[in-house]
């Protein structure tokens, strides 16, 4: 997908290279065009086998397959749709791996808006709040809730390969401004991201 004159995947590759943190930036793919674009923008390409390219393949399986054939103490999964991700956010999140929190993983997240307490469901023909009268809490009364935002996931390799219960690991959150973390899931998201990149370019970055 073209985003203001560059393929979408070029943006996260560039952000990674700008950090100066990586021994190498690797793109895993089974697609020749994506491989060519990735190499043109400074990444090394690992062509993915058929068993890791179907609709049920998990990112963690792809990464584990790569790690088992390489020699890196740390790594970071950076998603190809993380067009707005900044090198500064990657660097700041990486520092959490070496902080007193003793995290093994650092996950890019964003504040959930609207809050989960605003969730509605249907009973018969009518809408009803999922969390009862909590729907009426004012914004300042709602506890902050976060969600993964499709940007990045730092990890210590040994912990990544050893993990069994994904959400019981020592995983810290790194909250990112939504202007740096707008995930592309639907066609209309592409137009929003293009507009944000245009605005950023017009403001000089």
């Amino acid at each position: 997908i073209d985003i203001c004159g560059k393929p979408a995947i070029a943006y996260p590759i560039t952000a990674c290279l700008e950090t100066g943190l990586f021994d190498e930036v690797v793109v895993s793919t089974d697609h020749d065009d994506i491989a060519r674009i990735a190499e043109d923008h400074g990444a090394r390409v690992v062509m993915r086998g058929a068993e890791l390219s179907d609709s049920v393949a998990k990112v963690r399986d792809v990464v584990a397959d790569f790690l088992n054939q390489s020699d890196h103490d740390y790594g970071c999964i950076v998603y190809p749709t993380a067009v707005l991700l900044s090198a500064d956010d990657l660097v700041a999140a990486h520092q959490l791996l070496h902080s007193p929190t003793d995290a093994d993983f650092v996950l890019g997240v964003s504040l959930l808006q609207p809050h989960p307490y605003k969730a509605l469901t249907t009973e018969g023909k009518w809408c009803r709040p999922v969390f009862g009268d909590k729907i009426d809490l004012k914004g300042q009364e709602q506890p902050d809730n976060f969600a993964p935002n499709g940007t990045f996931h730092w990890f210590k390799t040994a912990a990544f390969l050893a993990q069994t219960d994904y959400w019981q690991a020592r995983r810290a959150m790194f909250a990112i401004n939504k202007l740096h973390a707008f995930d592309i899931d639907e066609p209309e998201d592409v137009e929003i991201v293009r507009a944000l990149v245009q605005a950023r370019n017009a403001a000089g970055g």
Side-chain angles (χ1 to χ4, degrees):
I1 293 174
D2 178 87
I3 304 289
C4 301
K6 291 199 299 187
I9 197 173
Y11 289 87
I13 291 173
T14 299
C16 289
L17 293 171
E18 287 178 348
T19 67
L21 291 173
F22 295 96
D23 293 329
E24 57 179 351
V25 176
V26 178
V27 170
S28 171
T29 184
D30 64 346
H31 196 286
D32 290 338
D33 288 343
I34 292 173
R36 175 183 52 78
I37 290 167
E39 288 178 338
D40 286 348
H41 288 86
R44 178 167 77 87
V45 171
V46 173
M47 296 305 290
R48 198 183 300 179
E51 72 281 2
L52 294 173
S53 298
D54 59 25
S55 60
V56 298
K58 293 181 171 60
V59 171
R60 69 189 75 169
D61 295 332
V62 173
V63 176
D65 181 69
F66 171 77
L67 293 174
N68 283 321
Q69 301 176 58
S70 62
D71 184 23
H72 298 287
D73 293 330
Y74 300 89
C76 188
I77 302 164
V78 180
Y79 293 92
T81 53
V83 171
L84 302 170
L85 180 62
S86 74
D88 288 345
D89 283 334
L90 281 171
V91 170
H94 172 260
Q95 292 172 351
L96 291 179
L97 284 180
H98 305 281
S99 72
T101 61
D102 201 26
D104 289 326
F105 303 84
V106 180
L107 179 64
V109 301
S110 291
L111 194 66
L112 269 178
Q113 294 173 326
H115 194 278
Y117 287 170
K118 298 297 184 184
L120 298 171
T121 188
T122 54
E123 292 181 8
K125 295 191 296 183
W126 314 119
C127 68
R128 298 289 183 265
V130 173
F131 296 103
D133 58 5
K134 289 182 179 179
I135 196 171
D136 293 322
L137 288 176
K138 295 179 180 179
Q140 62 268 30
E141 298 174 318
Q142 299 165 352
D144 287 345
N145 280 208
F146 298 86
N149 56 23
T151 53
F152 65 82
H153 199 168
W154 279 105
F155 58 83
K156 296 176 181 175
T157 297
F160 187 98
L161 293 176
Q163 65 182 328
T164 53
D165 190 333
Y166 185 82
W167 288 112
Q168 297 305 311
R170 296 188 296 191
R171 184 171 279 103
M173 297 190 296
F174 184 85
I176 303 175
N177 185 306
K178 282 194 172 183
L179 293 177
H180 295 177
F182 199 96
D183 198 10
I184 297 176
D185 290 319
E186 305 295 339
E188 58 265 32
D189 295 339
V190 175
E191 300 307 315
I192 295 170
V193 168
R194 281 179 178 146
L196 290 169
V197 171
Q198 285 173 350
R200 185 174 67 186
N201 291 344

